[in-house]
Every structure is written in structure tokens, then in C-alpha cells.
Amino acid sequence: MDVTIEVNGRAAVPAEVSLLDHEGWGHFTAMQVRGGRVRGLDLHLSRLEAAHDEVYGRALDGQEVRARIRHALGARPDASVRVYGYWAGLIVTVREPQDTPDRPHAMTAVHFQRPLARLKHVGSWGQGRFRQSAVTAGFDEGLLVDETGRISEGTITNVGFYRDGTVIWPDAPKLDGITMLVLQRHLAAAGVPQADEPVRVQDLPGYHGMILCNSHGWAPVGQVDDLKIPVHQAFTSAIAAAINACPWDEI
């Protein structure tokens, strides 16, 4: 797969690329670019600025971030882009665009809690290991739960649930993913009820639908381990409408 990597606006040298594999203090955001635009750009910039201040105690300029993305994209209108914040500066990677298949996905519950879950940080070895184990076992994604069965998120996704006309987000330590935040914003604008509450894997039979989402998009969840999850038409229609209502912001 063709990958472009730039550090502070210039082509990366091998020593700088190694930061992506070995530097454990970095943070990042991931986005899909279409036609030189991205959904929820303000949310991406806010995430990077807040994380950089928390991790390094330094300000990060949003206009500089946008300029670095534009430079790395060059003439490519569509791409998968990641922006990493490190002590050495900004690293931008550009790859081929990706989209989540819209078929129902299967998840398997694993006992794991991401450290500093509120941050989208690098160095999450356990998270990657559990995702690979889930895929090897024939699932699309792992579902992170604690010792009581309380659900927080997927290994690389957020999850949402549906019950009695309300969209429910897990009340647990998790990353506030950009796609989840976009959905919350536009579901609220459409008047769709939402709530944050604890969701336990053993209680899933009482819910009427489930989705997962990340920077690649969203999809219904049709199975968690041996439990079949119904694909609720009203729920998926509301999610699709919320995503479609989100404008594409020029970088």
C-alpha cells in the first residue's frame, strides 16, 4: 500500500518514521478525506490541541495542522490521513481511502481496559493484540469489557445501542471518537433521544440494536459472541441520516 509520511511538512527520514513504532508518548487523530474535505474537522483539531497540551504541556496550532495535512495530501483528493503529535512535531501519514463495509459486524467480548482511554494515543499493544485475536477467531472486532461485563468500546471502535427509541452510549472509560461525536451532534439536531448509561454484555438481549463506528464509518452489529443482535431499521436509519447530515469541511 502506498504511504506518504511527512514530519513537520517534509518527507520523513527513517529515524523519524521509527517514532511511529517505538515512541510511546504520541497521540493522534485519524480521518477520511474525500475531495479534500473531512467530516468533523473542528473535532479533530480540538482533539489534537487538547491531547498535545495534556501530554506535552504545549499548545498546538490548528492552522498549522491543516497546512501540514494539505501539504502531505498534495494532489490526492481522497485518502486515509493520520496526524500524530510528538515531542518532535507533527507527523502526517497518507494512505489509500478506507470505508467500513455496511454489512452487520460480529464482535467478541474481551476483558481489557485501554490505559488513559480518553486519549487516542500510540503504544496500545494490548488493544492491538486483542483485535488481532478477535479477527483470527473469525470476528470483525473485539468488544472491551471489564470484570463485571461493563462495555466501554471496541478495540478500534466506539459502540452504541438502541432501546425504546433512545440511542444509548456506554457510560465507561472510553475514547470519545470523532465519528461518535459527529453522530451525537447530528442525532441531537434531529431530535433523536440519547443517553449515557452503563451497558453490560450480559444485558445485551434487552437492547433492540447495536452499531460500531470509527474513522472509517459505521456499521450495524449483528452478533456478540453467540448472541444474535437484531438490526433495527429505525436505529440504522437514524444513524445513516445523522452521518449524511454532517458537512464535509475543507481542510
Side-chain angles (χ1 to χ4, degrees), residues 31 64-74 81 83 92 251:
M31 62 188 73
E64 179 187 1
V65 173
R66 296 173 70 181
R68 298 293 185 231
I69 296 172
R70 290 195 298 267
H71 190 273
L73 281 169
V81 171
V83 181
V92 181
I251 298 172

Side-chain angles (χ1 to χ4, degrees), residues 45-91:
L45 296 178
S46 294
R47 164 189 278 173
L48 290 170
E49 291 165 3
H52 211 70
D53 182 64
E54 179 169 347
V55 175
Y56 296 114
R58 300 201 302 267
L60 190 63
D61 180 56
Q63 294 306 312
E64 179 187 1
V65 173
R66 296 173 70 181
R68 298 293 185 231
I69 296 172
R70 290 195 298 267
H71 190 273
L73 281 169
R76 297 172 71 166
D78 303 335
S80 298
V81 171
R82 287 190 175 195
V83 181
Y84 295 85
Y86 282 108
W87 60 269
L90 291 174
I91 297 177

Side-chain angles (χ1 to χ4, degrees), residues 103-150:
R103 57 171 173 76
H105 282 48
M107 305 184 76
T108 182
V110 294
H111 292 170
F112 183 69
Q113 173 64 63
R114 289 195 313 111
L116 292 173
R118 67 185 180 278
L119 294 176
K120 193 173 181 70
H121 52 75
V122 302
S124 300
W125 185 88
Q127 170 185 357
R129 180 70 181 89
F130 281 120
R131 171 169 168 74
Q132 185 56 52
S133 296
V135 171
T136 299
F139 296 91
D140 297 291
E141 166 69 312
L143 181 64
L144 305 186
V145 305
D146 68 11
E147 65 278 2
T148 71
R150 186 175 66 159

